Amino acid sequence: HFKKASNEQASKLKEAFASEHLKSLCPKFDEGKNPDLLSISFDTAVINLVNANDDGILTPEAKILTPSFAYKPINIEHNRWNTIGCMLTHGFSSFGDSTELKEADVPENMPFNICHGGVIWRVIDDFYADMIEDAANDKAISASWEIGFDDFFLALGSKNLRDAEFVSDANK
């Protein structure tokens, strides 16, 4: 199933990014020749803090993990069969204001964000592409991610991992 981009669509091309600071993560392409693509960037996860699902990642693992998201699908509500795009770029940003960080400046035990950029395929779902564009300025949409762990430990005492006690002994 293919859709031909209308002149109206081509004339309203925009990029959607969660923060002006993350614009450099938006994939670059000739928008005039690719009106079916929406370039996006966004914070993906906070590192060194435990999230609402009681999961957390430390800095060393985040640096290893982050590049592996390239070419992974972007979907709606974690539904793998509702893929609407693909992640292509990665980076890091400061926690709180999303100012882009170089990997060398990523803090060892303070919170910071993993960030990604990618494309949304308009030909798959114009509705979500338009919704993402419209919501980009007021940050009305959030990104979430799923990851599988093959090794883990418990963090006790604090959701801020620098203040937590780590338990890796299975007997405890």
Side-chain angles (χ1 to χ4, degrees), residues 9-135:
Q9 250 185 330
S11 69
K12 67 173 193 163
L13 293 173
K14 300 184 226 174
E15 292 178 326
F17 40 95
S19 163
E20 188 68 35
H21 302 296
L22 300 181
K23 190 172 183 176
S24 67
L25 292 178
C26 283
K28 308 296 185 249
F29 51 84
D30 184 339
E31 294 172 343
K33 293 181 181 177
N34 297 284
D36 57 327
L37 298 179
L38 172 64
S39 183
I40 62 170
S41 66
F42 48 92
D43 291 326
T44 311
V46 178
I47 303 306
N48 296 317
L49 289 178
V50 175
N51 68 17
N53 294 327
D54 292 324
D55 295 322
I57 297 175
L58 296 168
T59 298
E61 289 77 14
K63 287 181 177 181
I64 294 167
L65 174 70
T66 300
S68 71
F69 276 77
Y71 312 112
K72 301 297 191 271
I74 297 172
N75 57 48
I76 305 295
E77 298 295 334
H78 304 291
N79 181 345
R80 294 177 185 168
W81 296 271
N82 194 2
T83 299
I84 62 168
C86 178
M87 294 201 294
L88 299 170
T89 63
H90 68 276
F92 305 98
S93 72
S94 60
F95 181 66
D97 68 3
S98 294
T99 301
E100 193 169 356
L101 297 172
K102 295 183 184 337
E103 186 169 343
D105 297 328
V106 167
E108 189 57 38
N109 63 3
M110 298 294 291
F112 66 94
N113 302 310
I114 290 177
C115 312
H116 286 92
V119 295
I120 300 297
W121 304 312
R122 289 184 182 283
V123 296
I124 301 296
D125 198 321
D126 276 337
F127 173 78
Y128 280 104
D130 288 344
M131 187 170 64
I132 290 166
E133 275 184 330
D134 293 343

